[in-house]
Amino acid sequence: MGREKYARPDRRPAVVTGASSGIGEATALTLAAGGYPVAVGARREDKLTALVQRIREAGGEAVGHVLDVSSTQSVEEFAAKVTADLGDVEVVVSAAAQLAPGTLHEIDSERITRELDVNVVGTHRLVHAFVPGMVERRRGDLVIVSSDVAVRARPFMGAYTAGKWGLEGLAHAMQMELEGTGVRCSIVRPGPTWSEMGMDWDPADAAKVLDGWGRFGHARHSHFLQPQPHADAIKAIIDAPRGVHLNLIEVSPEAPVTDPAED
C-alpha cells in the first residue's frame, strides 16, 4: 500500500510554456528526447510549428498550441486542448516571460502591469488550470523558471525584477501549501543566459543595462550560459524519484578559468 502511494505512470505528459525560444525551447527538446510527450505553448505559431516538427522528426511525441499566458481564456483553452491531445498532464514547466529595459521613475505603470501580468499572474493561470488535477491524482511536478534577479536586483530591469521576486514568493508559498499532496513545486533560477530576450532592444538601452550591471557588481565576468544547462536542471527535477524534492536549483555561468600568473 505504501509503495502504491508513490507510483506514477510510465507516460508523463509535460507542458512547456514560453517554448518558442530560449530556455522553454531547450526544455521541450530535452524532455521530448527523454521520452516525455510534450505540449508546447507560446504566442508565435510559426515557431511552435517548427519546434513540434523538429521533435517529431527526432522520434518524440509533441503537440503545439498558441498560448498567451496573460489571457485566462487562452490558458483555459490551451489546457483543454493539450489534455485532449495527450491525456492528464503530469508536468508543467512555466517558462514564459516578458522583459523590457527602463528606469522605474520614467516608465509608465501600464508597462509594469503588463510585465507583472505575464511574469507572475501568467504562472498562476497555469497553476489554476493544471494543479488541481495533479492534487486530485496525488502526483505531479510544477517547475517555475525564475531568475537570479529574484535575489540580486538589477538596475533598469525593475519591473522584471519585481516580477521574479513575486514569482518566487508565489512558488515558496505553494511549496508549503502542496506539502503532503504528492505535487512538487520547484524553482529553477537561471543566472545570465543568452536568449532572444533583449535582442530587440535599442542598442543604447541594452548598453545602459549592461553598464549598470557592471557598476553595481553584477558582471564579475563575461561568461553567459546557453539555455541547455537550465533545461538539464529542469529535467533533473522532474526525473527525481517520488519522495525526493529538488525544490530550488540555481544555475550560473562559471567564470573563465585564469592562469595562476594572472591571479
Side-chain angles (χ1 to χ4, degrees):
M1 183 67 179
R3 289 188 177 181
E4 291 176 5
K5 280 187 181 181
Y6 294 95
R8 63 186 178 196
D10 294 332
R11 189 173 183 278
R12 300 176 65 202
V15 161
V16 181
T17 69
S20 59
S21 66
I23 294 171
E25 179 185 34
T27 298
L29 291 166
T30 300
L31 295 186
Y36 289 85
V38 176
V40 293
R43 291 178 296 174
R44 295 181 289 180
E45 187 171 12
D46 59 332
K47 295 280 190 178
L48 289 179
T49 300
L51 176 59
V52 168
Q53 181 178 355
R54 186 176 170 189
I55 289 171
R56 290 176 177 173
E57 288 176 349
E61 182 180 358
V63 296
H65 296 288
V66 173
L67 172 65
D68 179 359
V69 298
S70 69
S71 164
T72 298
Q73 180 179 348
S74 178
V75 171
E76 290 175 348
E77 291 176 353
F78 175 83
K81 289 175 182 176
V82 300
T83 301
D85 290 335
L86 300 178
D88 291 334
V89 170
E90 296 280 323
V91 175
V92 173
V93 179
S94 179
Q98 189 174 94
L99 168 63
T103 303
L104 278 170
H105 67 269
E106 295 175 349
I107 62 177
D108 58 52
S109 298
E110 286 72 24
R111 229 284 301 282
I112 293 179
T113 299
R114 288 193 299 273
E115 285 199 43
L116 292 178
D117 192 27
V118 170
N119 298 340
V120 182
V121 186
T123 291
H124 182 262
R125 291 186 178 98
L126 294 169
V127 167
H128 192 259
F130 289 105
V131 171
M134 294 180 177
V135 171
E136 184 177 349
R137 294 187 294 275
R138 312 308 280 178
R139 64 177 185 267
D141 276 291
L142 170 66
V143 182
I144 294 173
V145 179
S146 180
S147 166
D148 69 345
V149 302
V151 289
R152 290 177 285 278
R154 301 191 183 210
F156 313 118
M157 298 167 53
Y160 184 73
T161 296
K164 293 301 186 180
W165 282 44
L167 185 61
E168 289 208 10
L170 191 83
H172 287 303
M174 287 188 61
Q175 287 174 343
M176 291 182 282
E177 293 170 359
L178 291 171
E179 196 167 87
T181 67
V183 181
R184 305 181 297 196
C185 175
S186 302
I187 300 166
V188 170
R189 185 188 291 158
T193 302
W194 292 113
S195 74
E196 288 189 13
M197 285 202 300
M199 293 296 119
D200 59 346
W201 294 357
D202 179 276
D205 288 336
K208 183 177 181 180
V209 169
L210 293 175
D211 287 348
W213 289 14
R215 177 183 174 190
F216 291 100
H218 295 303
R220 297 189 310 277
H221 59 78
S222 60
H223 274 193
F224 275 52
L225 289 170
Q226 295 295 324
Q228 188 60 49
H230 308 301
D232 293 337
I234 291 167
K235 186 173 182 295
I237 285 170
I238 64 177
D239 279 350
R242 297 291 303 272
V244 176
H245 184 189
L246 303 176
N247 61 308
L248 169 65
I249 297 180
E250 183 164 358
V251 186
S252 301
E254 182 184 4
V257 176
T258 59
D259 186 273
E262 297 174 11
D263 293 342

